[in-house]
Amino acid sequence: MSSQALQFILPLKKSKMLPLLVLLIIVTATFMMYRKITTTAENPRQPPISSKSSTGHLFGMLWYQGDYLKSLSAKYPNWPVFSVRIFSTSLYVINTPEFIQGILGNTKSASFYPFHIAFTNRALGARQEIKDIVAHNGADNRYMKAIHHEMYNALQLGPNLVETNRRVVHSFSQYFNDIDTSPQSRKLFDWIKLVYTMSLADSFYGPENPIRENPQFVKHIWDFEEELPMLFLNIFPSITARKAWNARKTLTTAFEEYYNKGLDRNANAFIAGRARAARAENFTNNDLAGFEITICFAALTNTVPNSFSMLCNIFANPALTADIREEVSRVVTRTSVDGRTVISLDTTSLDTSCPILISAYNETLRMCVNATAVRVVMEDMVLKDTYDLKKGGIVQIPGGALHESVRIWGSDAGVFNGRRFLNKKDLGREQRKAQSQGLFPFGGGKHLCPGRHLAFSEITSFVAMMIYGFEIKMKDGGLISPPPFKVQQMGENSKKPKYDIEVVMSRRKEFEGMVWAFHVG
């Protein structure tokens, strides 16, 4: 590291150091093996290069963190693709839909696998034999293909997903039924973390699982997420990333016992299929257990902040709240069971019968998801017959640059509008196309998020029931005031609130004594 870089780092807090340190490790340690250094003259078909120096870019990433590439894209609105030079490495920033598809659809020339290998090597504490299995043939191997197959098979639309959804909403209903008509104080973000983490554990691992038996593990999962960048560095992690390291160690021990007891016989299709693929490669129960915290992390760290943001923005707007309640009322039924009224929400009808709810969901993804898709250029390639990308370059696709583009979404692009996605028929053809291509919260190509259908069901079911059945106010009795987003760490996908909010929630009086339930097909 240069003395100039150190001058920027030393005066700043630890939290501000993370993205720069991670970037330096990625650039200098992980991907240099993919780079072929050349001394050829600049090719006129290479993307235009940002005029900032390497140190300037590092300082920008340090200061703006996850928002840096989005702000840089706004600075160069006429450059659909441009280069950021960090010493000898090129970062290719792509912020136009047609060029994005050219990257996401070309997994041979632009690969995500180097990042997968680096994550396994640095963040999971796996033994060397497991690292070798994952990394074999550049991660294009039997094990990785089996994992991909099992994951997508379990989470695609079909009976396996229906069963997982049924488990999730059954757990949700237990928390909803604990809320009566008397006001109950909650820290809203923390409460949603608890509900989702417990529900995820029950749905993925079955009713007997380490998280259900040890509720303190909820905090461990979020500690892991918070310190993951430092853990990724893998430099004395028990000291430099103490909370994340301890979380990984603790959950590995607990899940090893889960597997030793054979409790995975109650797991959903995803966990069972993943275990089957791993055991075919002679993974031990300890090896399997070491991966479980990343399963929980991946399944929670987007759905929780998105649910929180959606719920806050709807409750902040009384007219939007009333209209969504009216929509949801059309997909609930009342039956009498053992003398009690059961109110069941039909989750299969939300997509077709609740357009305002679905619009608010898509608007939440647009506002909240600021993921940067990354790929390594594995061989010299020509992007859409226009730009030459050189082997060893790192492609960066800042989702926020599209999700908050005034050109795509209009002058109110920076404001939550829960009805935004209702008026597509009023848009011109080109604008409709731009908005359709300009929203990609789940990535694309071979690595399109397999959990997108589960996320949709979880978030819309949870929010629909909360809006329909409950009142949530600020502690002082006022309307919900959505907190601003905190500075987003590089590598985070969804924005989180800068602070939690204290709220008072209660069951609506008309539903006193009734039982909440869900129908999932």
Side-chain angles (χ1 to χ4, degrees), residues 267-388:
N268 73 349
F270 169 47
I271 297 300
R274 194 181 64 84
R276 186 165 52 247
R279 285 171 175 147
E281 303 295 337
N282 296 317
F283 277 51
T284 67
N285 285 343
N286 180 264
D287 295 329
L288 272 169
F291 282 71
E292 297 310 326
I293 195 168
T294 65
I295 301 299
C296 300
F297 155 78
L300 290 167
T301 54
N302 291 306
T303 52
V304 168
N306 279 280
S307 294
F308 173 85
S309 183
M310 184 175 174
L311 198 63
C312 285
N313 279 295
I314 293 173
F315 270 119
N317 185 326
L320 187 61
T321 301
D323 288 347
I324 290 176
R325 277 180 178 162
E326 195 280 327
E327 283 187 339
V328 175
S329 71
R330 300 196 293 263
V331 298
V332 297
T333 57
R334 298 191 184 201
T335 56
S336 180
V337 178
D338 297 329
R340 298 190 68 185
T341 300
V342 176
I343 301 179
S344 182
L345 187 152
D346 182 3
T347 64
T348 65
S349 298
L350 293 175
D351 194 18
T352 55
S353 300
C354 300
I356 303 175
L357 175 75
I358 302 309
S359 176
Y361 169 77
N362 286 318
E363 179 71 346
T364 299
L365 298 183
R366 188 187 72 82
M367 292 290 294
C368 199
V369 178
N370 187 28
T372 297
V374 291
R375 300 290 188 270
V376 174
V377 182
M378 306 299 290
E379 60 187 13
D380 289 356
M381 64 177 290
V382 180
L383 179 60
K384 303 288 283 188
D385 295 323
T386 305
Y387 294 110
D388 287 345

Side-chain angles (χ1 to χ4, degrees), residues 52-98:
K52 279 191 176 183
S53 66
S54 296
T55 303
H57 286 305
L58 289 174
F59 182 76
M61 292 174 181
L62 174 69
W63 189 257
Y64 294 104
Q65 301 193 45
D67 278 339
Y68 180 65
L69 295 179
K70 180 180 72 176
S71 64
L72 205 59
S73 296
K75 182 179 178 180
Y76 305 119
N78 297 321
W79 288 357
V81 181
F82 62 92
S83 294
V84 170
R85 290 288 175 83
I86 306 291
F87 305 118
S88 64
T89 298
S90 291
L91 274 61
Y92 298 116
V93 182
I94 304 177
N95 53 36
T96 304
E98 57 266 32

Side-chain angles (χ1 to χ4, degrees), residues 70 109 169 183 239 257 399 453:
K70 180 180 72 176
S109 299
V169 297
I239 299 171
E257 183 178 358
H453 301 303

